[in-house]
Amino acid sequence: MSDQLSRRSENMRKGIYILPNLFTTGSLFAGFYSMVAGVNGDYRTAAISVFAALICDGLDGKVARATGTTSKFGVEYDSLADLVAFGVAPGLLMYFWALKPFGRLGWLAAFLFVACGALRLARFNVQVETVESKRFVGLPIPAAASMVASTVLFFQHVGWSYYKKPAILVLIYLLAFLMVSNVKYYSFKDPEMIKKQPFGFLVLAVLLFIIIAAEPAIMMFALFCCYILSGPIGYILAWPRRRRLEKALHKGHEAYSDSVKKDD
Amino acid sequence: MSDQLSRRSENMRKGIYILPNLFTTGSLFAGFYSMVAGVNGDYRTAAISVFAALICDGLDGKVARATGTTSKFGVEYDSLADLVAFGVAPGLLMYFWALKPFGRLGWLAAFLFVACGALRLARFNVQVETVESKRFVGLPIPAAASMVASTVLFFQHVGWSYYKKPAILVLIYLLAFLMVSNVKYYSFKDPEMIKKQPFGFLVLAVLLFIIIAAEPAIMMFALFCCYILSGPIGYILAWPRRRRLEKALHKGHEAYSDSVKKDD
């Protein structure tokens, strides 16, 4: 038994499994395809490819956990694929779609998006061993990429007007900042909540599907806007509580210092 | 002392240091700049940017080791920057410079280069904890990127002829294969050899500098060709010895099996 366990932990560390890594390769492929399409001016295909990468990326972790084939190699490979599909591909897409006329300011924004994405991924990889929580620290890079892709699809759908371009520039800087911030985001990794209300969740999923299917470009954009905004809004709402906590901590610290002084 | 040591190991795991990570950011920036230049048709700038990324990438590890600021975060961030600067940037550069006319075959070659680069980096990150050897297993991704960049500079220098394009396609497939192969490459991480012959090495370095400075485009191309070929040539030359070793192992195994049978 112990032998089996140690062999399993050996596999966990060094094993390379086919199935989950194939999904990761799919995600990398979709990211690369998005880049080629984006550069060639086919923005719609590029944006849809980012969503395809998102689906593959969602599946690889699930498949690995479900079949017990999680590996250190898989985690590293997944993180590399993530940077290409959700960092470089959306960055280039945004650059060619909207940021190019801004010159240096434009491609620096695209670079900032890629760099902050890389920092976010590196930080997450260092944290992942200790923290597996209901909340992400900083906007996850797939969510930032989805926001970029849904913005492109939204404006391709409703028609493009020139004055919106500065808004896009601001959006990119904002997304880059949110990725490396300490703003908390809901991770949807709360199995207990789904277990408590399985039927309610199913109804919600069907409802969500119908809403998205009715007007994909508009609804996806609205949904991702809500998710992106949920972080800062939560941060502001939690402000009074955080202040009280800090004050309490400060008081506790002072009381402790006083008691130490008295002891002296 | 033990406290200091444990604090240091804590830093090693979680610390984020400014200086080495700034060099990594520089490498990422050069990689991104190379992409933008390559896509815009400025192939020479794109190739030179890859070399700039190479210098930054060479410095970050050295600085981190010299100042004792190696961190898990740094390793992760470095590996992500490597994929952008030495995987995606040369892949896109090659695609727009030479592979586009091949259609699907062309962009699949570029994608293969990126995917094999990612696999190589993920494998290296998993191995790095146990093996720090004089030889790399598989062509390192910065060497593959340098080969791509020096090929572009070489043909921009000597003039481009159409019939060379299929050769470029073959080169990309070959580089991708060599990265994920088990072919050994000299790592230039042999401090003892430099310590033994410090003066000789300095003379060699000066000589190398003069040779490259005389005709950068041609000499870099020739040098990287030699390095790329050194792997397969070494593999072929080591063939008879490997066969002998395998036979000896096989015989030893048979002798062992026989002795076990006799014991039974």
Side-chain angles (χ1 to χ4, degrees):
Chain A
M1 181 62 201
S2 152
D3 183 52
Q4 200 182 346
L5 218 91
S6 81
R7 205 184 309 138
R8 202 182 159 187
S9 98
E10 178 80 359
N11 277 348
M12 280 281 287
R13 278 198 303 119
K14 292 183 84 181
I16 296 173
Y17 297 96
I18 292 297
L19 196 63
N21 288 321
L22 271 185
F23 279 106
T24 308
T25 307
S27 169
L28 186 63
F29 180 78
F32 189 81
Y33 193 84
S34 165
M35 260 187 277
V36 173
V39 165
N40 286 329
D42 189 355
Y43 306 125
R44 210 165 160 270
T45 308
I48 291 168
S49 297
V50 170
F51 282 119
L54 197 74
I55 291 167
C56 286
D57 183 59
L59 285 175
D60 66 358
K62 290 256 186 308
V63 165
R65 274 189 292 274
T67 56
T69 52
T70 319
S71 67
K72 195 164 177 291
F73 176 87
V75 171
E76 294 289 338
Y77 186 39
D78 184 44
S79 145
L80 290 164
D82 279 4
L83 184 62
V84 174
F86 307 132
V88 181
L92 281 184
L93 170 59
M94 265 298 163
Y95 175 69
F96 286 101
W97 182 63
L99 303 178
K100 215 177 169 183
F102 292 103
R104 193 172 292 175
L105 208 65
W107 67 259
L108 278 178
F111 168 67
L112 196 74
F113 186 86
V114 176
C116 288
L119 288 171
R120 174 73 176 75
L121 282 167
R123 190 172 70 167
F124 184 74
N125 277 1
V126 178
Q127 286 179 333
V128 78
E129 285 165 13
T130 49
V131 184
E132 179 92 43
S133 142
K134 286 179 205 171
R135 280 162 187 281
F136 292 124
V137 179
L139 181 67
I141 183 169
S146 307
M147 186 68 222
V148 167
S150 61
T151 304
V152 171
L153 289 179
F154 176 73
F155 283 110
Q156 295 283 100
H157 183 72
V158 300
W160 178 253
S161 42
Y162 187 78
Y163 69 88
K164 276 173 198 125
K165 281 196 180 178
I168 301 291
L169 189 70
V170 172
L171 175 72
I172 295 296
Y173 278 108
L174 184 75
L175 289 177
F177 166 74
L178 283 174
M179 279 196 277
V180 292
S181 72
N182 284 322
V183 172
K184 306 279 186 299
Y185 276 92
Y186 186 61
S187 72
F188 299 101
K189 282 178 184 167
D190 195 352
E192 275 175 33
M193 212 166 149
I194 300 176
K195 268 182 199 159
K196 258 188 225 162
Q197 298 270 344
F199 188 73
F201 252 82
L202 208 61
V203 171
L204 205 73
V206 169
L207 207 70
L208 205 70
F209 178 78
I210 288 173
I211 290 173
I212 292 175
E215 274 292 352
I218 295 170
M219 286 305 158
M220 298 272 273
F221 180 70
L223 281 175
F224 281 113
C225 277
C226 289
Y227 186 69
I228 301 293
L229 289 175
S230 75
I233 289 171
Y235 190 82
I236 292 163
L237 288 181
W239 188 259
R241 213 183 57 191
R242 208 180 304 118
R243 274 307 297 264
R244 250 180 288 140
L245 210 73
E246 269 168 17
K247 267 188 186 167
L249 271 173
H250 190 68
K251 268 187 188 167
H253 188 73
E254 271 182 352
Y256 175 75
S257 305
D258 287 351
S259 76
V260 168
K261 269 179 198 163
K262 271 180 196 164
D263 284 353
D264 288 346
Chain B
M1 182 62 201
S2 152
D3 183 51
Q4 199 181 350
L5 216 92
S6 81
R7 206 184 308 138
R8 201 181 163 190
S9 97
E10 180 78 1
N11 277 346
M12 281 280 287
R13 276 195 305 117
K14 293 184 83 183
I16 296 173
Y17 297 98
I18 292 297
L19 195 63
N21 288 322
L22 272 185
F23 279 105
T24 308
T25 307
S27 169
L28 186 62
F29 180 77
F32 189 81
Y33 194 84
S34 164
M35 259 187 280
V36 172
V39 165
N40 286 330
D42 190 356
Y43 306 125
R44 209 164 159 272
T45 309
I48 291 169
S49 297
V50 170
F51 283 119
L54 198 74
I55 292 168
C56 287
D57 183 59
L59 286 175
D60 67 357
K62 291 253 186 309
V63 165
R65 272 187 294 273
T67 56
T69 51
T70 319
S71 68
K72 195 164 178 294
F73 177 87
V75 171
E76 294 289 338
Y77 186 39
D78 184 43
S79 146
L80 290 164
D82 280 5
L83 184 62
V84 173
F86 307 131
V88 180
L92 281 184
L93 171 58
M94 265 299 162
Y95 175 69
F96 286 101
W97 182 64
L99 302 177
K100 215 176 169 184
F102 292 103
R104 192 173 292 175
L105 209 63
W107 68 257
L108 278 177
F111 168 67
L112 197 73
F113 186 86
V114 176
C116 288
L119 288 171
R120 174 74 176 75
L121 282 167
R123 189 171 69 168
F124 184 74
N125 278 1
V126 177
Q127 285 178 334
V128 78
E129 285 165 14
T130 49
V131 185
E132 179 91 41
S133 143
K134 287 178 203 170
R135 281 162 186 280
F136 292 124
V137 179
L139 181 68
I141 183 169
S146 308
M147 185 69 222
V148 166
S150 61
T151 304
V152 171
L153 289 179
F154 177 73
F155 283 111
Q156 294 283 103
H157 182 74
V158 300
W160 176 254
S161 42
Y162 187 77
Y163 68 89
K164 277 174 199 124
K165 282 198 179 178
I168 301 290
L169 190 69
V170 173
L171 175 73
I172 294 295
Y173 278 108
L174 185 74
L175 289 177
F177 167 74
L178 283 174
M179 279 196 277
V180 291
S181 72
N182 284 322
V183 172
K184 306 281 186 299
Y185 277 92
Y186 186 62
S187 73
F188 299 100
K189 282 178 185 167
D190 195 354
E192 277 176 32
M193 213 167 145
I194 300 176
K195 267 182 200 159
K196 257 187 224 163
Q197 298 269 344
F199 188 73
F201 252 82
L202 208 60
V203 171
L204 204 73
V206 170
L207 206 71
L208 205 69
F209 178 78
I210 288 174
I211 290 173
I212 292 176
E215 274 292 352
I218 295 170
M219 286 305 159
M220 297 272 272
F221 179 70
L223 280 174
F224 281 112
C225 277
C226 290
Y227 185 69
I228 301 293
L229 288 175
S230 74
I233 289 171
Y235 190 82
I236 292 162
L237 289 180
W239 189 260
R241 214 183 57 189
R242 206 180 305 118
R243 275 308 296 266
R244 251 180 289 140
L245 209 74
E246 268 169 16
K247 266 187 186 168
L249 272 173
H250 190 68
K251 266 187 188 167
H253 188 75
E254 272 183 351
Y256 174 77
S257 304
D258 286 352
S259 76
V260 168
K261 269 180 198 162
K262 269 178 197 164
D263 283 355
D264 287 348

